[in-house]
Amino acid sequence: MNPYLLIVLLTSLGLGTALTLSSTHWLLAWLGLEVGTLAILPLMAQRHHPRATEAATKYFIVQATAAATLLFAAFNNAWLQGHSDIQHMSHPLFTSMITLALLLKLGLAPMHTWMPQVIQGVSLNTGLIVSTWQKIAPFILLLQIKQIHPPLLTIIGLASILIGGWGGLNQTQLRKILAYSSIAHLGWILLILQHSTALATYALLIYIFMTSATFITLKKCKATTINMLTTTWTKAPTITLVAPLMLLSLGGLPPLSGFAPKWFILQELTQLNFIPHASIAAMAALLSLSYYLRLSYSITLSLSPNNLPECLQWRVNYPISTPLSSALPAALALTLFLLPLTPSALTLII
Amino acid sequence: MTPIQMTFSTMFLLGLMGLTFHRTHLLSALLCLESMMLSLFLATSLWALQLSTINIATVPMLLLAFSACEASSGLALLVATARTHGSDHMQNLNLLQC
């Protein structure tokens, strides 16, 4: 893509999220969300492939519907209340409607069906942006709404964790697996949102690091299906070493940093006496772990069923660096080694 | 709930149901999206008239500008879909099934 166009689109993406983050009025929040949606559409559809166009169309329809519903509920609430502040909403019906619109934007169950399709249809870099950057703005709006009906968030959170786990089990396409993992992680964040916004922010931050590391690793391996992962050991042996750790961090195993959000969320839930919620969430995390283990098995612990001399590449394309590959060491370090630093990291957010 | 609020809520909800339940053409979904934005435009204009303040009188114009941008990008995507899939039938958008 033309570099000037790319700069304009990426700047607009950043501008959209910045507008939403800095807004106290619902109209400006909606403006920021719309700018973000419009800016990412050319990035999605740039390849003129039928799957890319279909993904862009589905993304557009979903995000536009969610934004319009958001604005409708905001204006109704402002009509009844007199002011359109984000942090002082009082009408329960329209608060629920705004929450549902934001959850549709984030792609949580039962409004999740567009996520695997859209992330499958676009390239890995754009899928990274959709999975990480586009989640920030709706999430910040969700943080600021007080008095959301608690069962709504709990049910949708638990449903997302379960559907994120079950949905990814039968997939061989890596982007669909990452979409379902995104749904599951956002379900964990939603569970704790009403009780502790600091923990929700921390969980989102760790999720962004882990997902970025995964997408960049897949881009470097040029792999989009599980079969393509099996030849990673010939192309980039260091990634073969580190990738299982990264996937286990996504699964939430200690001593990797993915364990910290799950640990604190479960601790907070049990302190507040929500034992069934904590049990269901902890057991549903096993479903996600099974497909992370499948991916790490195919990267590291098995050989692809070819002749051994046939596997080794003897003409390697140098340089093997993509524009994002300079961010890979930072993302991997944050994904793997952040657990000992958790107390100081939490003091930054709390 | 005032009659005005009931009217534009009904208009919005009808548009939303049309967007959700039209299963043949992509263009009908885009049209219903436009009708939702139109109902919001009417709502904000009537709100500005009712409150008789000039603070919020620019809200309809901002809304209209951004919904026009959104509509044009939707139509561009419709053209792209027609180019890659042959028509705008929703049944043809099945390449990305799980």
Side-chain angles (χ1 to χ4, degrees):
Chain A
M1 195 183 239
N2 193 1
Y4 300 119
L5 188 55
L6 194 60
I7 289 177
V8 165
L9 288 173
L10 291 176
T11 313
S12 307
L13 261 183
L15 175 69
T17 306
L19 269 181
T20 311
L21 294 189
S22 61
S23 64
T24 50
H25 193 282
W26 274 114
L27 185 73
L28 193 61
W30 172 79
L31 276 179
L33 291 172
E34 283 292 290
V35 167
T37 307
L38 291 176
I40 206 176
L41 287 176
L43 286 173
M44 290 175 126
Q46 64 177 324
R47 286 191 306 170
H48 300 295
H49 189 279
R51 282 199 291 270
T53 315
E54 181 180 333
T57 312
K58 286 182 177 168
Y59 184 76
F60 168 74
I61 296 274
V62 164
Q63 302 283 314
T65 311
T69 316
L70 181 102
L71 205 56
F72 168 68
F75 284 146
N76 260 324
N77 182 53
W79 189 288
L80 291 172
Q81 200 178 352
H83 62 88
S84 185
D85 236 9
I86 295 182
Q87 297 179 345
H88 300 113
M89 295 189 63
S90 63
H91 200 284
L93 169 66
F94 297 121
T95 311
S96 302
M97 204 185 250
I98 283 193
T99 313
L100 283 175
L102 287 170
L103 296 178
L104 173 59
K105 260 191 185 293
L106 284 172
L108 286 167
M111 293 88 66
H112 67 284
T113 42
W114 59 274
M115 268 278 275
Q117 301 186 15
V118 165
I119 298 195
Q120 169 67 26
V122 297
S123 63
L124 278 167
N125 288 340
T126 317
L128 168 67
I129 299 177
V130 169
S131 283
T132 53
W133 186 255
Q134 299 286 73
K135 309 290 182 208
I136 295 181
F139 171 72
I140 297 289
L141 287 176
L142 267 179
L143 274 185
Q144 299 180 35
I145 303 174
K146 308 286 183 290
Q147 298 172 2
I148 307 179
H149 196 45
L152 179 72
L153 287 182
T154 312
I155 290 176
I156 290 191
L158 287 175
S160 302
I161 302 176
L162 286 167
I163 287 182
W166 268 316
L169 285 179
N170 199 22
Q171 306 293 338
T172 54
Q173 297 283 335
L174 291 174
R175 285 170 289 181
K176 282 210 170 106
I177 289 182
L178 286 176
Y180 280 109
S181 101
S182 160
I183 295 174
H185 278 105
L186 287 175
W188 276 92
I189 295 173
L190 206 64
L191 265 187
I192 202 65
L193 191 69
Q194 43 186 320
H195 307 302
S196 165
T197 53
L199 278 181
T201 314
Y202 182 63
L204 182 74
L205 209 57
I206 300 288
Y207 154 74
I208 287 178
F209 295 146
M210 296 191 295
T211 313
S212 314
T214 316
F215 269 102
I216 298 174
T217 307
L218 292 181
K219 181 78 187 177
K220 248 183 132 47
C221 305
K222 294 195 181 88
T224 50
T225 59
I226 300 186
N227 290 336
M228 290 187 194
L229 278 177
T230 53
T231 54
T232 316
W233 65 281
T234 60
K235 294 178 198 160
T238 324
I239 288 189
T240 313
L241 177 67
V242 162
L245 293 177
M246 180 186 72
L247 289 164
L248 292 176
S249 180
L250 266 174
L253 294 184
L256 305 165
S257 45
F259 175 60
K262 291 198 164 71
W263 173 21
F264 286 116
I265 289 175
L266 288 175
Q267 183 181 10
E268 191 70 26
L269 284 176
T270 45
Q271 269 177 358
L272 295 168
N273 234 0
F274 288 115
I275 310 289
H277 308 157
S279 322
I280 294 177
M283 289 198 283
L286 288 176
L287 294 165
S288 308
L289 187 64
S290 74
Y291 55 77
Y292 297 135
L293 279 175
R294 183 182 298 157
L295 290 185
S296 55
Y297 177 75
S298 59
I299 294 179
T300 314
L301 300 169
S302 65
L303 287 178
S304 56
N306 294 333
N307 296 327
L308 206 55
E310 191 185 292
C311 275
L312 295 169
Q313 284 186 328
W314 61 283
R315 275 193 198 133
V316 188
N317 295 330
Y318 284 118
I320 327 177
S321 63
T322 66
L324 275 180
S325 60
S326 48
L328 184 56
L332 270 175
L334 288 167
T335 314
L336 301 178
F337 303 125
L338 215 50
L339 188 63
L341 298 173
T342 310
S344 45
L346 279 178
T347 55
L348 280 178
I349 300 180
I350 295 178
Chain B
M1 201 180 267
T2 63
I4 295 179
Q5 206 175 359
M6 182 68 72
T7 316
F8 73 76
S9 296
T10 315
M11 185 177 172
F12 182 88
L13 288 172
L14 277 176
L16 184 63
M17 286 202 292
L19 176 65
T20 329
F21 294 128
H22 273 302
R23 284 182 301 173
T24 347
H25 289 279
L26 186 60
L27 189 55
S28 11
L30 293 177
L31 276 175
C32 291
L33 189 63
E34 283 315 295
S35 86
M36 286 154 71
M37 291 314 220
L38 182 64
S39 79
L40 289 175
F41 174 76
L42 285 174
T44 47
S45 312
L46 291 169
W47 188 26
L49 279 177
Q50 210 176 41
L51 290 182
S52 316
T53 59
I54 55 172
N55 269 338
I56 49 171
T58 54
V59 169
M61 296 312 295
L62 278 174
L63 190 63
L64 205 59
F66 269 88
S67 81
C69 294
E70 195 182 53
S72 61
S73 66
L75 284 173
L77 281 172
L78 179 74
V79 170
T81 307
R83 283 189 140 180
T84 55
H85 291 265
S87 68
D88 70 338
H89 278 107
M90 298 280 237
Q91 302 158 351
N92 291 344
L93 295 174
N94 58 1
L95 298 174
L96 294 169
Q97 280 168 340
C98 276

